[in-house]
Amino acid sequence: MAADLAFDGLTKTYKPEEVVLLQYHVHVPGPDPLTNPDSEARWKYYSDEAEGTPWSFLDGASKAQGGGGVDVSKDRYFDYRDAISPLLEKAARAKLQLSATRQGDKIDIRMFPAQRMWPLDGGLYLGTGDAVITQDPESGRVNVGCYRMMIKGPREIGIYTSPGKDATIDREKYWKMGKPMPIAACYGIDPLLFLVAATSLPKTECEYDYYSGIAGAPIELFKGDVTGLPLPANAEIILEGHVYPDETFAEGPFGEFTGYYGRPSGATPYMRVEKLRYRSNPTLTCALMADGAANEAGLFWAALRSAGIWADLQKLGIPGIKGVWSIPEAAGWGITVVSIKQMYAGHSSQVMALAAQCTAGAYFGKYVIVVDDDIDPTNVHQVLWAMATRSRPAQSIDILRETWSTFLDPSLNPPEIRPWGSKALINACMDYKYIKSFSKRTKLSRAAYDKVAKRWNEYGFKGKAPEISVFEDD
């Protein structure tokens, strides 16, 4: 009775956004007439830490029981309040109070609705729309990546990382030292965290910093007690553990972002899960990998890759960049278009080479197309028109060989040649040597366009007139 009354008092003392109070009634096996298999299972789960009833858990830690009659309810209230109030100073951890925690044999990650995305997937994948945290053991740099994770068992989950990815490099460093790699996997995450995790950023920088810059506020983190890694406080599900040297299993295949099953089943490292945290009724974020518009990650990757390449070109001091776009329908990463205002001899060739090999553009991309500033790089029709009318195949196409690709590229055969790839650089700009005498493009006058656009529906057309940004009188 004392604990119940004290709890009622706490609900009036603290606002819901300050403290989340949960009260469970667990029927103790034995004399309780409401005892049933479910209540017995619940009691068994808590019995390692709870020595009686009622029993309290504050901030995930077991506390002394708070029983008694009505006469001691006031004392119980102040006991609870004195324990809770200091915890309110820890803002990041306060958001973890909805979490349950499991360790050791009580962990079973199969409790979550892991997906088999495609009929021929090699297993159930818990990790697709995820954020995987690792750390460079030499520099201390924290990396947040996005990797596919196939369930191996109740406390084991695969972690497939392509060659050259940060988690791969971190793992190889730990294993060279003869040590397991600390790792954490987070699901049910902010979509922005997924975006930065899936983006190629400088290997010396942390994705958390980019998240915070875009969000306009520092990301809330807490230190994992198993790995020591900084973990996102708002994640719905977090696994902590280690990847041990030379422990692998047959993972895959998996329907990948290319629209093909990426890499046949092969030896893949896996994580031994040592601690599981999750919220009540947690959300599991997933990202469908597919071809064309069905690839829900394609548009995300296209936007972030484009922004990254544009930023890299600016950092390199390249002038005249008017737009960058990675075409979503081309697997998000396959084709990048850069629009420039040509300013000097070799300008377009310089942009092609740098866009293909800068940090944001190096991985997997196969085609880089550079167009003039009168071409909208997001408009595939305009890009193809520029390629057909301004490029000269014998002079305008360069090939880069032995570039950074992936085991997931189905065109690289036999598979033994992977992850080495190649890139085609296509100059679809007007030849700068003759740009002043290049044949004039047919363009509308602004007055004619405005007149027709104003009467568009009067002429029997639906919607708005097509947007045109280039006019003869400009």
Side-chain angles (χ1 to χ4, degrees):
M1 179 66 73
D4 289 336
L5 292 174
F7 242 73
D8 290 343
L10 294 175
T11 61
K12 295 178 174 62
T13 301
Y14 299 106
K15 297 177 181 178
E17 60 266 26
E18 292 178 323
V19 177
V20 176
L21 300 166
L22 300 177
Q23 191 174 34
Y24 293 97
H25 287 268
V26 179
H27 302 287
V28 181
D32 193 322
L34 295 179
T35 296
N36 56 57
D38 288 340
S39 65
E40 289 181 348
R42 283 194 293 271
W43 175 252
K44 183 178 180 181
Y45 178 79
Y46 287 107
S47 61
D48 289 346
E49 297 181 79
E51 300 174 8
T53 58
W55 198 267
S56 304
F57 292 84
L58 296 176
D59 198 34
S62 175
K63 302 294 182 184
Q65 69 182 69
V70 176
D71 57 320
V72 295
S73 60
K74 185 176 181 179
D75 294 334
R76 292 288 173 261
Y77 166 77
F78 283 111
D79 289 342
Y80 286 138
R81 199 182 71 173
D82 290 344
I84 291 173
S85 293
L87 298 175
L88 296 180
E89 299 175 6
K90 303 177 181 179
R93 286 189 58 80
K95 294 198 173 183
L96 293 173
Q97 299 315 303
L98 283 174
S99 302
T101 301
R102 295 190 180 188
Q103 291 181 279
D105 293 343
K106 291 185 177 180
I107 295 173
D108 190 342
I109 58 176
R110 297 172 301 183
M111 66 187 288
F112 302 114
Q115 302 294 302
R116 187 186 301 273
M117 298 286 190
W118 296 99
L120 300 184
D121 282 353
L124 298 176
Y125 280 82
L126 186 61
T128 53
D130 56 25
V132 178
I133 293 88
T134 61
Q135 187 170 30
D136 186 321
E138 297 173 351
S139 68
R141 181 270 299 130
V142 172
N143 179 71
V144 184
C146 179
Y147 309 107
R148 75 191 206 196
M149 304 185 75
M150 190 181 96
I151 291 177
K152 178 179 183 293
R155 294 176 295 281
E156 299 166 326
I157 188 166
I159 172 74
Y160 174 75
T161 61
S162 289
K165 289 293 187 178
D166 291 353
T168 304
I169 296 172
D170 293 346
R171 185 186 71 231
E172 290 173 346
K173 288 183 178 181
Y174 273 104
W175 285 10
K176 188 175 181 180
M177 298 162 61
K179 298 179 179 180
M181 178 180 71
I183 187 171
C186 307
Y187 318 105
I189 55 174
D190 184 336
L192 177 57
L193 186 59
F194 168 68
L195 290 183
V196 296
T199 300
S200 296
L201 297 171
K203 296 188 179 300
T204 55
E205 298 178 6
C206 179
E207 287 74 11
Y208 283 147
D209 296 334
Y210 284 80
Y211 173 98
S212 301
I214 297 171
I219 186 171
E220 292 186 273
L221 303 170
F222 73 99
K223 185 177 181 179
D225 53 2
V226 172
T227 60
L229 295 169
L231 308 178
N234 292 318
E236 299 273 309
I237 304 166
I238 300 178
L239 313 181
E240 274 193 280
H242 291 81
V243 178
Y244 286 81
D246 302 322
E247 288 191 348
T248 62
F249 79 118
E251 184 269 358
F254 175 68
E256 275 289 354
F257 68 94
T258 56
Y260 299 85
Y261 289 95
R263 195 188 69 132
S265 178
T268 298
Y270 61 88
M271 167 189 181
R272 291 192 195 175
V273 182
E274 298 166 42
K275 190 163 189 175
L276 163 64
R277 294 180 178 87
Y278 60 95
R279 296 178 183 272
S280 301
N281 298 316
T283 297
L284 174 64
T285 43
C286 300
L288 176 66
M289 305 290 109
D291 60 282
N295 184 6
E296 59 189 8
L299 182 59
F300 298 155
W301 286 336
L304 268 293
R305 185 181 180 91
S306 303
I309 292 173
W310 197 338
D312 284 348
L313 292 173
Q314 287 182 328
K315 291 177 184 177
L316 291 166
I318 307 303
I321 307 299
K322 298 301 180 181
V324 180
W325 187 238
S326 292
I327 301 173
E329 293 81 0
W333 288 340
I335 301 175
T336 297
V337 184
V338 184
S339 174
I340 68 169
K341 181 175 179 59
Q342 293 191 77
M343 301 171 66
Y344 48 85
H347 190 182
S348 56
S349 297
Q350 180 188 34
V351 170
M352 286 194 304
L354 294 176
Q357 292 292 65
C358 64
T359 298
Y363 178 67
F364 177 67
K366 294 185 177 183
Y367 298 93
V368 175
I369 305 166
V370 179
V371 295
D372 289 296
D373 61 333
D374 64 333
I375 301 299
D376 178 357
T378 69
N379 188 317
V380 175
H381 305 289
Q382 292 186 25
V383 173
L384 292 175
W385 176 78
M387 289 175 59
T389 62
R390 299 181 185 181
S391 68
R392 300 168 296 157
Q395 294 84 12
S396 303
I397 300 177
D398 292 321
I399 303 295
L400 299 182
R401 294 175 173 80
E402 304 294 347
T403 57
W404 183 22
S405 188
T406 171
F407 280 114
L408 308 180
D409 184 350
S411 72
L412 299 177
N413 292 296
E416 289 75 21
I417 69 174
R418 305 174 189 176
W420 306 100
S422 60
K423 299 177 187 291
L425 313 182
I426 303 174
N427 187 345
C429 292
M430 293 180 281
D431 188 347
Y432 189 74
K433 291 190 295 290
Y434 305 104
I435 195 167
K436 292 182 179 179
S437 59
F438 201 92
S439 298
K440 287 189 176 296
R441 176 182 178 180
T442 55
K443 295 179 285 187
L444 286 173
S445 70
R446 185 179 294 272
Y449 172 79
D450 289 342
K451 183 177 180 180
V452 173
K454 186 177 181 180
R455 303 177 64 184
W456 189 253
N457 298 126
E458 184 182 337
Y459 293 143
F461 299 114
K462 295 181 179 180
K464 296 181 179 180
E467 292 187 6
I468 297 177
S469 58
V470 179
F471 297 99
E472 184 59 47
D473 42 0
D474 290 344

